[in-house]
Amino acid sequence: MYIKRVELTHFKSFGGTTQVPLMGGFTVISGPNGSGKSNILDALLFCLGLAGSKGMRAERLPDLVNQNQTSRGRATVEASVSVTFDLSDELEQLALDSSPNGVPPHESGFTDEQRGLTDERLENQSSATHRNEITPSHSKQFDGGLMKEWIVTRKLRVTQQGSYTSTYFMNGESCTLTDLHQQLERLRIYPEGYNVVLQGDVTGIISMHPRERRQIIDELA
Amino acid sequence: MYIKRVELTHFKSFGGTTQVPLMGGFTVISGPNGSGKSNILDALLFCLGLAGSKGMRAERLPDLVNQNQTSRGRATVEASVSVTFDLSDELEQLALDSSPNGVPPHESGFTDEQRGLTDERLENQSSATHRNEITPSHSKQFDGGLMKEWIVTRKLRVTQQGSYTSTYFMNGESCTLTDLHQQLERLRIYPEGYNVVLQGDVTGIISMHPRERRQIIDELA
Amino acid sequence: RQKAFREAFDVVNQNFQSIFAELSDGDGYLQLEDSQDPFNGGLNLVAHPKGKPVRRLASMSGGEKSLTALSFIFALQRYRPSPFYAFDEVDMFLDGANVERLAKMIRQQSQQAQFIVVSLRRPMIESAERTIGVTQARGAYTQVIGIKLTGHTASL
Amino acid sequence: RQKAFREAFDVVNQNFQSIFAELSDGDGYLQLEDSQDPFNGGLNLVAHPKGKPVRRLASMSGGEKSLTALSFIFALQRYRPSPFYAFDEVDMFLDGANVERLAKMIRQQSQQAQFIVVSLRRPMIESAERTIGVTQARGAYTQVIGIKLTGHTASL
Ligand SMILES: Nc1ncnc2c1ncn2[C@@H]1O[C@H](COP(=O)(O)OP(=O)(O)OP(=O)(O)O)[C@@H](O)[C@H]1O
Ligand SMILES: Nc1ncnc2c1ncn2[C@@H]1O[C@H](COP(=O)(O)OP(=O)(O)OP(=O)(O)O)[C@@H](O)[C@H]1O
Ligand SMILES: [Mg+2]
Ligand SMILES: [Mg+2]
């Protein structure tokens, strides 16, 4: 699976709505200083709830709304980011993982326990045969064979007084951050994951405390 | 004035004795990763007493001795760095500064007070006419017209047990770190000066506390 | 729990050794502070870039630290891959030759995961399958242009 | 004491404004948190690189922060020059065009002080009056070679 699109609306240096189309494999983002490269990575962290405001170089969330929006003096301004995951391979992968003889689960009629599913990441997996047993929001996630794309969106609304609300959505349905993190974990995306290295942080692993470093392996084991 | 030579002996990645000749103006130091470029700047900090061991990426001073020395199992090992300053312009400059009519002090016979010297950096200035009034070590520093070069040396000795001593020298005579810093101040070289920016530190001025930043101007005023 | 940790540690350690050898042309390995009871201590990285004798991590050069840290990240990746990796200027300390080594390794690892790498360095840009250009004209918003290495430029 | 500070502040502020304009192509100035009683507050840097609206320092990009910090250092230099400046890879965040700008400014400032600059970036190396090459062969010590830009190489 891979991220196939990031859509930014009024987020940091992005005015209007901007699409950043991506593909699997190896992509470089380049350009002059101050143009907005790191802001794209901040958008990923923002949308997937992977960092606090300081981790995106903002003192508080409202600082993330494009300055022009805020200065137009509107009663309420909004910024949002959507990340679209391409799941076509992952589904097949998840389906194969859950079945000892390689037959996709929704074709075999066995229960998860019968298939000897022990990986806790799969225990929330819904499939066509189990839809009734699982909560409605889960049944829409990772349906066997039915969902090729998964879209996560986060909207940030800021009132003129400066108070704000932030809402997460999965495929258009609002959800809690905990729901989102649970689904992301199934895809091996974690808030403390070492898959995102921000500007200036690369040598952080060297200067961190040895116990902290050992915990990285704890969490993956 | 400028640094015209740095001589490193058994210091960090420098085995034996190595000369780094420098000239005024704009010099770049370049080369592959891990070759020893930053170690040359550490040598400057070490010799002039401008940073603690951590500021030179060493846990303790003994880590600064070239590894090969230490591993040869000798009873005592030693590392040293010498920095040679070219003073030919500075002297004339100091001489001019101290005399309201531009006549060098050692030619006019007036006392410092008579010349209205208020700059406290010059109050230790010795000149040929005043040599008797000033301590022997000072009379050798910045003698009007007599000294074109000024050499600072620091030696670090480490015993086999790991205890160590560090000694400073100015023009071959041992001195205290306080003596050295006093002379360096007259040349406008300060331990907290912002004239040395180490690898990774350039944005430090941005993330420092505003009060700390204001103090930088305090100290220069 | 100890057993699960042991298995993970051994695999990551093995990965680290071969990746470090490739990136830093030297020997490196992971070491538990307390090998009898791992949870009683931390995890150390032992690094000999270019065969240099062992030294504390802090005294390594900027470039050496970067390659050591990246070797660790890739070692984790081979054990438990994330679907995507986002790197922002991780090559900032690297000399030209090392940027090339890193770029080759990313190219290799990108067969198993998506790599989105912000970089200003030419060898990195040249190794990627495609580049996304980002600019911001004076007084305007950020603009994004997708550039394929076939020389075909598409604006978005 | 307040008077001495005021004078220093005004000079450094003026320097900062013109240097920032040159390096960052924008407006920047120094601001006291408490202008009535400077010692009661700190010193802020207000920076509008490329004329962008004011924003907190922390949200600037890596390159923008570097140029702002260097403008401050040069502003201090013009007020109270040190005899030498030693910079270790201060250009690591800068794009090619900004490395050139910085290199030009160092060239200019080096008429008043000695600049020893460690750098891996070509525009910086090409702007210097000379380069000192540093290498370390496998299993050996650091070697230093002086290279003049006239192409004349001298080993030491
Ligand atoms: N809320 C906001 N509204 C408008 N612009 C913003 C906002 N937040 C940040 N910016 C701008 O975004 C720019 C920084 O963008 P970013 O950090 O992505 O640059 P970059 O391309 O990574 O540059 P570099 O190569 O220097 O790291 C800054 O100039 C900043 O002023
Ligand atoms: N006491 C010592 N004995 C021998 N070698 C040492 C000692 N202390 C440090 N070193 C070596 O010096 C090297 C680092 O040198 P330095 O930091 O100057 O590199 P650099 O040229 O600045 O590289 P980079 O471009 O990556 O910043 C390291 O490889 C380290 O092992
Ligand atoms: Mg950036
Ligand atoms: Mg270095």
Side-chain angles (χ1 to χ4, degrees):
Chain A
M1 73 168 277
Y2 60 91
I3 296 171
K4 70 188 208 187
R5 182 167 55 254
V6 182
E7 185 180 281
L8 304 88
T9 304
H10 303 151
F11 183 82
K12 299 192 85 178
S13 58
F14 290 79
T17 294
T18 312
Q19 312 281 343
V20 183
L22 293 163
M23 295 169 72
F26 183 6
T27 303
V28 153
I29 296 179
S30 199
N33 290 136
S35 55
K37 309 180 292 294
S38 300
N39 288 346
I40 294 173
L41 266 49
D42 291 339
L44 278 179
L45 298 179
F46 169 77
C47 181
L48 306 181
L50 301 178
S53 62
K54 296 250 170 10
M56 301 183 271
R57 292 171 294 150
E59 269 202 34
R60 333 163 26 250
L61 292 184
D63 297 338
L64 298 173
V65 181
N66 181 269
Q67 194 96 340
N68 273 354
Q69 287 296 311
T70 330
S71 60
R72 272 177 207 171
R74 293 195 190 133
T76 297
V77 293
E78 187 177 286
S80 72
V81 177
S82 287
V83 175
T84 305
F85 292 87
D86 183 294
L87 282 189
S88 25
D89 283 346
E90 189 78 8
L91 283 179
E92 296 156 23
Q93 187 59 32
L94 281 176
L96 288 170
D97 277 355
S98 64
S99 157
N101 54 2
V103 180
H106 59 271
E107 289 177 21
S108 66
F110 290 130
T111 62
D112 284 351
E113 290 70 27
Q114 284 172 328
R115 272 183 237 119
L117 240 72
T118 51
D119 184 349
E120 70 170 69
R121 282 197 214 105
L122 294 175
E123 67 186 323
N124 287 328
Q125 180 185 10
S126 63
S127 63
T129 54
H130 295 179
R131 208 168 298 178
N132 307 332
E133 307 164 34
I134 303 196
T135 63
S137 67
H138 280 169
S139 68
K140 293 211 176 73
Q141 307 305 331
F142 309 147
D143 277 347
L146 293 180
M147 192 170 77
K148 293 239 175 313
E149 257 188 20
W150 183 52
I151 306 184
V152 179
T153 303
R154 181 179 183 185
K155 293 195 207 263
L156 175 68
R157 289 203 154 171
V158 185
T159 66
Q160 210 164 29
Q161 295 79 8
S163 66
Y164 60 92
T165 57
S166 141
T167 317
Y168 290 91
F169 301 82
M170 293 196 279
N171 280 353
E173 284 206 9
S174 72
C175 65
T176 66
L177 179 56
T178 313
D179 293 335
L180 174 59
H181 278 178
Q182 265 184 356
Q183 295 295 351
L184 289 174
E185 270 189 41
R186 293 179 51 193
L187 299 175
R188 291 187 180 160
I189 298 171
Y190 313 96
E192 290 92 47
Y194 282 82
N195 62 321
V196 180
V197 183
L198 298 183
Q199 195 163 358
D201 285 356
V202 63
T203 50
I205 286 192
I206 303 297
S207 36
M208 75 167 53
H209 200 273
R211 285 192 180 249
E212 233 186 303
R213 215 179 286 136
R214 194 217 65 223
Q215 280 179 338
I216 299 176
I217 300 209
D218 276 352
E219 285 167 23
L220 293 189
Chain B
M1 73 169 278
Y2 58 94
I3 296 171
K4 71 187 205 184
R5 182 167 54 253
V6 182
E7 183 179 283
L8 302 87
T9 304
H10 305 150
F11 184 82
K12 300 190 86 180
S13 58
F14 290 78
T17 295
T18 312
Q19 312 280 342
V20 183
L22 292 164
M23 295 170 71
F26 183 4
T27 303
V28 153
I29 296 179
S30 199
N33 289 137
S35 54
K37 308 181 292 295
S38 300
N39 288 347
I40 295 174
L41 266 48
D42 291 338
L44 279 179
L45 297 179
F46 169 77
C47 182
L48 306 180
L50 301 178
S53 63
K54 295 251 172 5
M56 303 184 269
R57 291 170 295 148
E59 269 203 33
R60 335 164 23 247
L61 291 184
D63 297 340
L64 297 174
V65 181
N66 180 269
Q67 194 96 341
N68 273 354
Q69 288 296 309
T70 331
S71 60
R72 273 177 206 171
R74 294 193 189 134
T76 297
V77 293
E78 187 177 285
S80 73
V81 176
S82 288
V83 175
T84 305
F85 291 87
D86 185 293
L87 283 189
S88 26
D89 283 346
E90 189 78 8
L91 283 178
E92 296 156 24
Q93 187 59 33
L94 281 177
L96 289 169
D97 277 355
S98 65
S99 159
N101 53 2
V103 179
H106 62 271
E107 287 178 22
S108 68
F110 290 130
T111 62
D112 285 349
E113 290 70 26
Q114 284 172 331
R115 272 182 238 118
L117 241 72
T118 52
D119 184 350
E120 70 171 69
R121 282 193 217 110
L122 293 174
E123 68 185 325
N124 288 327
Q125 181 185 9
S126 62
S127 63
T129 56
H130 295 178
R131 208 168 297 176
N132 307 332
E133 308 165 32
I134 303 197
T135 64
S137 68
H138 280 170
S139 68
K140 295 212 173 77
Q141 306 306 331
F142 308 147
D143 277 347
L146 295 178
M147 192 169 77
K148 293 237 175 314
E149 255 186 23
W150 183 51
I151 306 184
V152 181
T153 302
R154 182 180 183 184
K155 293 194 206 261
L156 175 68
R157 290 203 153 169
V158 187
T159 66
Q160 210 165 26
Q161 295 80 11
S163 66
Y164 61 92
T165 57
S166 141
T167 317
Y168 290 91
F169 301 82
M170 293 195 281
N171 280 354
E173 284 207 7
S174 71
C175 64
T176 66
L177 179 57
T178 312
D179 292 337
L180 174 59
H181 278 178
Q182 264 184 359
Q183 295 295 350
L184 289 174
E185 269 188 41
R186 292 178 53 193
L187 299 174
R188 290 187 181 160
I189 296 171
Y190 314 97
E192 290 92 46
Y194 282 83
N195 62 324
V196 181
V197 183
L198 298 183
Q199 196 164 356
D201 286 354
V202 65
T203 51
I205 286 191
I206 303 296
S207 36
M208 77 168 50
H209 199 274
R211 284 190 180 250
E212 232 185 306
R213 215 179 287 135
R214 194 217 65 225
Q215 280 177 339
I216 299 175
I217 301 209
D218 276 352
E219 284 167 24
L220 293 188
Chain C
R1 177 191 174 202
Q2 254 227 42
K3 183 161 177 301
F5 177 88
R6 280 278 174 208
E7 288 178 13
F9 175 80
D10 291 339
V11 176
V12 177
N13 196 1
Q14 212 169 0
N15 294 344
F16 181 78
Q17 288 171 32
S18 62
I19 294 168
F20 186 87
E22 197 169 330
L23 278 186
S24 302
D25 188 22
D27 316 300
Y29 55 90
L30 305 182
Q31 184 188 61
L32 289 165
E33 285 182 328
D34 186 335
S35 49
Q36 300 305 332
D37 175 16
F39 300 110
N40 187 29
L43 175 70
N44 281 325
L45 303 171
V46 180
H48 304 247
K50 288 218 171 100
K52 292 178 190 178
V54 189
R55 177 149 299 110
R56 305 185 208 295
L57 287 182
S59 72
M60 285 201 288
S61 81
E64 293 168 335
K65 284 179 190 168
S66 304
L67 293 179
T68 304
L70 287 160
S71 300
F72 189 61
I73 293 176
F74 289 132
L76 298 173
Q77 181 202 355
R78 281 191 197 170
Y79 170 65
R80 281 254 190 274
S82 291
F84 75 91
Y85 287 80
F87 289 167
D88 198 342
E89 299 201 26
V90 295
D91 49 20
M92 67 184 179
F93 285 132
L94 303 182
D95 62 38
N98 279 329
V99 176
E100 285 228 34
R101 275 199 165 122
L102 176 62
K104 278 200 181 65
M105 170 137 310
I106 293 178
R107 186 113 196 192
Q108 204 174 309
Q109 299 295 98
S110 66
Q111 292 166 4
Q112 270 86 45
Q114 175 182 35
F115 277 83
I116 302 165
V117 178
V118 176
S119 173
L120 302 176
R121 311 293 297 275
R122 182 153 22 141
M124 185 65 72
I125 295 171
E126 291 182 349
S127 299
E129 293 169 65
R130 68 197 73 83
T131 300
I132 291 185
V134 182
T135 58
Q136 184 173 16
R138 211 186 178 90
Y141 298 132
T142 292
Q143 297 292 331
V144 172
I145 307 171
I147 309 166
K148 263 221 160 58
L149 283 186
T150 52
H152 195 80
T153 306
S155 61
L156 305 150
Chain D
R1 180 193 173 200
Q2 253 229 38
K3 183 160 176 302
F5 178 86
R6 280 279 175 208
E7 287 178 15
F9 175 80
D10 291 339
V11 176
V12 178
N13 196 1
Q14 213 169 0
N15 295 343
F16 181 79
Q17 288 172 34
S18 61
I19 294 168
F20 185 87
E22 198 169 330
L23 278 185
S24 300
D25 189 21
D27 316 300
Y29 55 90
L30 306 182
Q31 185 187 61
L32 290 166
E33 286 181 329
D34 186 335
S35 50
Q36 300 305 331
D37 175 15
F39 301 109
N40 188 28
L43 175 71
N44 281 326
L45 303 171
V46 180
H48 305 249
K50 287 221 173 99
K52 292 179 191 178
V54 189
R55 179 150 297 112
R56 302 182 209 296
L57 288 181
S59 71
M60 285 201 287
S61 81
E64 293 169 336
K65 284 180 189 167
S66 303
L67 293 179
T68 304
L70 288 160
S71 299
F72 188 61
I73 292 176
F74 289 132
L76 297 172
Q77 181 202 357
R78 282 192 196 170
Y79 170 65
R80 281 254 188 275
S82 289
F84 75 92
Y85 288 80
F87 288 169
D88 197 343
E89 297 202 27
V90 295
D91 50 20
M92 66 185 179
F93 285 131
L94 303 182
D95 62 37
N98 278 329
V99 177
E100 285 228 35
R101 275 199 165 120
L102 176 62
K104 279 200 179 65
M105 170 138 309
I106 292 177
R107 185 113 196 191
Q108 204 173 310
Q109 299 296 97
S110 67
Q111 292 167 3
Q112 271 85 45
Q114 174 182 35
F115 277 83
I116 302 165
V117 178
V118 177
S119 173
L120 302 176
R121 312 292 298 275
R122 186 161 11 150
M124 185 65 72
I125 295 171
E126 291 181 350
S127 299
E129 294 169 65
R130 68 197 72 85
T131 300
I132 291 184
V134 182
T135 58
Q136 185 173 13
R138 214 190 176 86
Y141 298 132
T142 292
Q143 298 293 330
V144 171
I145 307 170
I147 308 166
K148 262 220 162 58
L149 284 186
T150 52
H152 194 82
T153 306
S155 61
L156 304 149

